[in-house]
Amino acid sequence: MVSGFALAGGTLVTLHDGETYDETVLRVWEVGSPAPRLTKTIAQRIRRVTLRPDGKRVAFLGSALVILDESLKTIAQSNSKDSKDLGETLAYDPSGTFLVSASAKEVIVWDAANAKR
């Protein structure tokens, strides 16, 4: 079952339920392709996913803010102090330099290069 998706720069990322509750399968597609280009199982429940406007970075909110490169390797992750109250939404700014997460109580601006507030 698809539990979320993001689209940017000709790339589509879909989130699927994993085999256990604490697992999410992330798939990367080229728009128009019948099969995913990459698939990766993440050992955490992902709440939100977004793509950098050029489609070359994936960021998601789970137990932390995690940023992945084109091959789905982790390039940055927020530390446990910064990971409290991550928010309910996540988006890149138009330049791809910052990520913004928000909840009903606050807005957090993250450096998209290192996942720091």
Side-chain angles (χ1 to χ4, degrees), residues 8-111:
T11 302
L12 172 68
V13 173
T14 57
L15 302 177
H16 304 264
D17 296 336
E19 291 186 23
T20 67
Y21 177 78
D22 292 330
E23 204 174 70
T24 304
V25 178
L26 197 138
R27 293 188 179 129
V28 178
W29 309 73
E30 296 306 319
V31 173
S33 174
R37 179 172 53 87
L38 294 167
T39 299
K40 182 173 184 168
T41 300
I42 308 290
Q44 60 179 294
R45 198 83 184 135
I46 298 176
R47 297 186 322 240
R48 295 287 181 261
V49 66
T50 190
L51 280 163
R52 194 168 70 179
D54 64 6
K56 298 190 183 293
R57 295 276 189 268
V58 177
F60 65 81
L61 293 176
S63 58
L65 169 65
V66 179
I67 303 169
L68 308 173
D69 67 10
E70 288 180 274
S71 64
L72 299 182
K73 291 183 182 165
T74 301
I75 58 171
Q77 182 170 337
S78 62
N79 64 39
S80 59
K81 177 184 172 194
D82 283 341
S83 295
K84 294 178 183 172
D85 302 320
L86 291 171
E88 300 303 319
T89 62
L90 181 66
Y92 272 96
D93 79 299
S95 73
T97 305
F98 300 100
L99 283 155
V100 177
S101 62
S103 68
K105 295 181 181 184
E106 71 176 322
V107 173
I108 304 167
V109 178
W110 304 85
D111 182 326

